[in-house]
Amino acid sequence: METKATLRGVRLSAQKGRLIADMIRGKKVDQALDVLTFTPKKGAVILKRVLESAIANAEHNDGADIDELKVSSIYVEKGSVIKRFSARAKGRGDRISKQTCHIYVTVGN
């Protein structure tokens, strides 16, 4: 049995999110939570929340045993780009692209 959790439109670039996702892919849930707790990156905090949500979904919806769960799949996709402008000299403007991503976590036996 597999249970999913998603988080869409996160203000984090997909490249930075994938670095964290690669560290916990395939690990047991308690090991993955330990890794995310002690990783000093913004993406680790966000991924930890999604992983905890997937664990809660598995326990509540499917009645799964938490001790047997592992991260069966986790991937981070590029989301929409938020476009902003910054004022420059002589009436010009520069575009600032703020990246977003979508995070998908699946836990199972």
Side-chain angles (χ1 to χ4, degrees), residues 91-103:
R92 296 187 181 112
D94 281 349
R95 176 180 280 182
I96 297 173
S97 298
K98 299 187 179 237
Q99 303 295 325
T100 63
C101 67
H102 309 309
I103 301 170

Side-chain angles (χ1 to χ4, degrees), residues 18-75:
R18 286 184 193 118
L19 287 174
I20 307 299
D22 291 340
M23 293 192 320
I24 64 170
R25 186 173 290 117
K27 293 190 185 233
K28 288 193 159 286
V29 167
D30 56 347
Q31 292 174 347
L33 286 173
D34 288 341
V35 169
L36 292 176
T37 301
F38 296 108
T39 302
K41 291 189 174 283
K42 175 185 174 182
V45 176
I46 296 168
L47 277 163
K48 184 178 177 189
R49 286 181 51 211
V50 182
L51 180 59
E52 287 172 344
S53 175
I55 295 166
N57 289 345
E59 183 181 19
H60 183 266
N61 298 341
D62 300 331
D65 184 19
I66 297 174
D67 298 330
E68 298 176 4
L69 290 177
K70 69 173 191 168
V71 181
S72 56
S73 75
I74 179 169
Y75 56 98

